[in-house]
Amino acid sequence: MIEQPRLIQLPKFLDKRGNLSFIEECKHVPFKIERSYWIYDVPGGQVRGGHAYRRNKEFIVALSGSFDVVLDTGAEKKLFSLNRSYFGLYVPEGVWRQMQNFSTNSLALVVASTLFDPEDYIYSYEQFKAELR
Ligand code: TYD
């Protein structure tokens, strides 16, 4: 069975001093975390991603502001709007991904299942479709 991308609701402690959410590996994030990175200061209209990973799985949280993640499994293309810091989007390996429509001052946290490896990237959509088969 090929895993599907999905939104995962995170714990949320509402507090008049300010709210708190968290993620734990292999629990809310369905893999062991090897790396974290974040995307910020995205100028209006810019698009990030436009590639797939062969092995790397990711979990994306809009810590601040909002943006859209367009995921294409080859069988289905879906747009996920992230705008709450207590939801994460799980993106399994082998999914074509693009991030767009970033709001001003948005902050995307991405936790990943592998260390950075340029060899893990598929940059051509044709190649992506070929490797799916
Ligand atoms: P890239 O993954 O291509 O960004 P995006 O998919 O959002 O367009 O990464 C941009 C640059 O940053 C690229 O030169 C590789 C580098 N990079 C790292 O060195 N380590 C990392 O963990 C990531 C995600 C990127």
Side-chain angles (χ1 to χ4, degrees), residues 100-130:
Q100 60 196 39
N101 200 19
F102 287 87
S103 70
T104 304
N105 289 331
S106 58
L107 171 59
L109 171 70
V110 185
V111 294
S113 70
T114 67
L115 299 179
F116 177 68
D117 173 12
E119 298 294 308
D120 193 42
Y121 281 69
I122 308 174
Y123 283 113
S124 138
Y125 191 75
E126 288 310 302
Q127 179 67 20
F128 165 66
K129 294 289 266 189

Side-chain angles (χ1 to χ4, degrees), residues 70-114:
V70 181
L71 298 180
D72 181 348
T73 59
E76 191 184 19
K77 196 167 170 177
K78 244 183 172 170
L79 184 147
F80 294 87
S81 288
L82 299 186
N83 55 14
R84 293 280 180 262
S85 46
Y86 52 85
F87 270 98
L89 177 62
Y90 171 54
V91 185
E93 68 275 39
V95 175
W96 189 265
R97 63 198 273 300
Q98 184 166 301
M99 297 166 77
Q100 60 196 39
N101 200 19
F102 287 87
S103 70
T104 304
N105 289 331
S106 58
L107 171 59
L109 171 70
V110 185
V111 294
S113 70
T114 67

Side-chain angles (χ1 to χ4, degrees), residues 35-37 39 47-51 53 58 97 99 115-116 121 123:
R35 176 168 53 108
S36 303
Y37 63 93
I39 298 170
V47 172
R48 306 281 324 201
H51 56 70
Y53 301 112
E58 290 192 331
R97 63 198 273 300
M99 297 166 77
L115 299 179
F116 177 68
Y121 281 69
Y123 283 113

Side-chain angles (χ1 to χ4, degrees), residues 14-78:
L14 299 180
D15 191 311
K16 36 183 196 307
R17 299 169 303 157
N19 303 334
L20 182 151
S21 288
F22 63 92
I23 44 180
E24 292 180 358
E25 65 180 3
C26 304
K27 200 168 166 187
H28 319 95
V29 178
F31 53 78
K32 198 155 167 41
I33 299 168
E34 288 270 322
R35 176 168 53 108
S36 303
Y37 63 93
W38 43 100
I39 298 170
Y40 53 98
D41 291 347
V42 180
Q46 289 295 326
V47 172
R48 306 281 324 201
H51 56 70
Y53 301 112
R54 295 187 171 93
R55 287 192 311 119
N56 187 43
K57 304 169 195 284
E58 290 192 331
F59 187 83
I60 306 172
V61 184
L63 285 186
S64 180
S66 63
F67 51 87
D68 296 336
V69 186
V70 181
L71 298 180
D72 181 348
T73 59
E76 191 184 19
K77 196 167 170 177
K78 244 183 172 170

